[in-house]
Amino acid sequence: PVVEARLQPLLQPGNPWRPLAQEVQALLAMRTGRTDDAKALFRTLSTDQATPPGVRSRAGALLIRLGDPPPPASAGAGG
């Protein structure tokens, strides 16, 4: 609960640290056995184009590790 409470300010929309805080939140969920929560967070991170590429990549890899392949990249994404 202490770590989760400290993450709350970073999880606010518009905060540049939000994707990293969401990644930590997902890792905490994974560690505490809340696999469905972890999968949902990793799925969001793996598809959000505002998420840095390294975080997206790790989220996709962790989804695979949890037995839930990431959704395909959006066809309209890119620059």
Side-chain angles (χ1 to χ4, degrees):
V2 173
V3 175
E4 291 172 348
R6 289 182 181 217
L7 286 175
Q8 288 309 308
L10 300 174
L11 291 167
Q12 298 307 309
N15 189 311
W17 295 101
R18 185 176 187 192
L20 291 170
Q22 288 175 310
E23 183 180 28
V24 171
Q25 187 179 39
L27 291 168
L28 283 170
M30 204 168 111
R31 183 175 181 182
T32 58
R34 294 178 291 132
T35 307
D36 289 341
D37 292 343
K39 286 180 182 181
L41 286 162
F42 287 136
R43 199 172 301 113
T44 297
L45 286 168
S46 71
T47 58
D48 185 357
Q49 293 302 306
T51 299
V55 176
R56 274 200 318 266
S57 177
R58 285 192 302 272
L62 286 164
L63 270 174
I64 291 169
R65 182 175 176 193
L66 292 171
D68 190 7
S74 172

